[in-house]
Amino acid sequence: MSPFATQKRIKQQWRRLPLIGLLLLLVWSFAIAGEIAHALEVPHINTVDPVPAELQLGEELYLNNCSTCHIAVPPAVLPTQTWLQLLQDPNHYGKRIEPLIDPGRLLVWNYLQNFSRPQTADEAIPYRVGASRHFKALHPRVELSQPISLMTCVTCHPGASNYDFRSLTPKWENAE
C-alpha cells in the first residue's frame, strides 16, 4: 500500500473521530438525564386528587403523622373546620397526642385546607367520619354499616392503609 493511501485512510479516521465523540457524548447525556429524572421522581400515592408540588410536603407530613396510629383518610372526607380542630386539639379521640408545631403544622394545614370542603354555617362540625356529610357524599351508593370507623375503610378499599382509596374490592370495582 502506498504511503499516500495510508495517509488518506488516517485522515478519514480522524474525520470520523469527532462524530464518534459526539455520539458518545449524546448517549452519555441521555443516560445521565435518565438517572437524574429517576432520582427526582416523586413516589406516586394513589390518592383521589393529584397533589401539586407545593402541597406535597404537607401531604407527606400528614401521612407520616396520622397513619402511624390509624388509616389516614383523604381530606375531602371531613370538612375544613374538622381538620382545623383536629390540628389544634391535643385530645385526639380520647388519646393525648403531641400537636404538630409550626412550620409542619402550617404545611399540613395548607394541604388539608386545599383538599377539604367547608361546612355550611347551619351544620354541626362532625368529628367522626360517619357523621360527615362529605363522607356520605363520597359514598352515594354504599350501604354503610354502623358504627363506621376508619378500619372499615379497608372493607371496600383494600389499599387504604397505604393511602390508596382508588383501588376497590371486586364487589365495588364495577358497581353501578
Side-chain angles (χ1 to χ4, degrees):
M1 194 178 271
S2 74
F4 180 70
T6 306
Q7 281 182 337
K8 189 175 180 182
R9 191 173 29 203
I10 291 172
K11 282 184 181 180
Q12 287 175 343
Q13 288 175 346
W14 277 103
R15 283 187 197 141
R16 285 188 224 151
L17 193 58
L19 184 60
I20 292 170
L22 185 60
L23 185 61
L24 287 172
L25 181 63
L26 187 63
V27 168
W28 180 77
S29 296
F30 278 119
I32 293 296
E35 288 299 317
I36 290 172
H38 180 70
L40 294 176
E41 192 174 285
V42 176
H44 177 69
I45 300 174
N46 205 12
T47 60
V48 176
D49 300 307
V51 178
E54 65 271 12
L55 298 174
Q56 287 177 356
L57 183 56
E59 178 189 43
E60 185 179 323
L61 288 169
Y62 165 70
L63 292 173
N64 287 342
N65 282 281
C66 299
S67 66
T68 56
C69 298
H70 57 77
I71 291 173
V73 295
V77 169
L78 293 168
T80 308
Q81 293 85 340
T82 301
W83 290 115
L84 181 60
Q85 291 295 322
L86 291 174
L87 279 176
Q88 295 174 345
D89 192 358
N91 275 326
H92 191 73
Y93 299 102
K95 302 272 185 194
R96 183 106 177 122
I97 61 168
E98 195 65 39
L100 290 172
I101 57 171
D102 291 341
R105 183 181 60 86
L106 291 173
L107 291 168
V108 171
W109 170 241
N110 285 336
Y111 166 67
L112 294 171
Q113 185 179 22
N114 274 280
F115 287 96
S116 60
R117 297 173 185 96
Q119 190 79 353
T120 60
D122 60 334
E123 289 181 279
I125 298 172
Y127 290 99
R128 299 282 180 191
V129 170
S132 171
R133 173 179 55 88
H134 301 83
F135 175 77
K136 292 172 186 168
L138 289 168
H139 299 83
R141 298 170 310 199
V142 180
E143 292 291 326
L144 300 166
S145 61
Q146 296 296 329
I148 297 170
S149 76
L150 295 180
M151 293 312 294
T152 58
C153 296
V154 181
T155 306
C156 300
H157 304 277
S161 59
N162 295 321
Y163 206 55
D164 174 2
F165 289 88
R166 284 200 184 273
S167 299
L168 296 169
T169 57
K171 175 183 175 182
W172 292 103
E173 191 67 44
N174 297 313
E176 295 278 329

